[in-house]
Amino acid sequence: NYLLLDEAPWSALAPVFDLTVMIDVPEAELRRRLTARWEHYQLTPDQIAHKLEVVDLPNGRRIREGSRAPDLVLRQG
């Protein structure tokens, strides 16, 4: 997830890649998929909410907002 992030130390990797790809998934779909993942691990609703709101979704927003432009974007719904 962090390989396109335009901040150190990740930005130092840019010259290494011949092709970069970002998979663009709407946040609502990310939330659905992540919720299913954490349910699979039998986390409680409160634990899932914490993971989503404090860890997973903020990290996803950081990547989306702070990444270099990829060579190719794959959009998923």
Side-chain angles (χ1 to χ4, degrees):
N1 290 344
Y2 292 90
L3 296 177
L4 288 176
L5 199 57
D6 197 18
E7 59 185 64
W10 306 104
S11 55
L13 295 172
V16 175
F17 302 117
D18 293 327
L19 177 71
T20 57
V21 178
M22 175 156 311
I23 301 172
D24 183 19
V25 179
E27 189 167 304
E29 179 62 15
L30 284 176
R31 179 181 295 276
R32 186 192 69 72
R33 292 178 187 184
L34 290 165
T35 298
R37 172 201 283 175
W38 297 128
E39 287 172 344
H40 173 78
Y41 288 103
Q42 299 178 341
L43 271 62
T44 67
D46 286 343
Q47 289 171 317
I48 292 171
H50 176 81
K51 286 236 182 236
L52 292 175
E53 301 305 329
V54 177
V55 180
D56 293 334
L57 294 176
N59 279 339
R61 290 180 198 118
R62 178 180 172 202
I63 300 303
R64 182 170 290 195
E65 294 165 9
S67 288
R68 293 177 292 104
D71 297 312
L72 178 64
V73 176
L74 301 177
R75 291 194 178 12
Q76 294 194 348

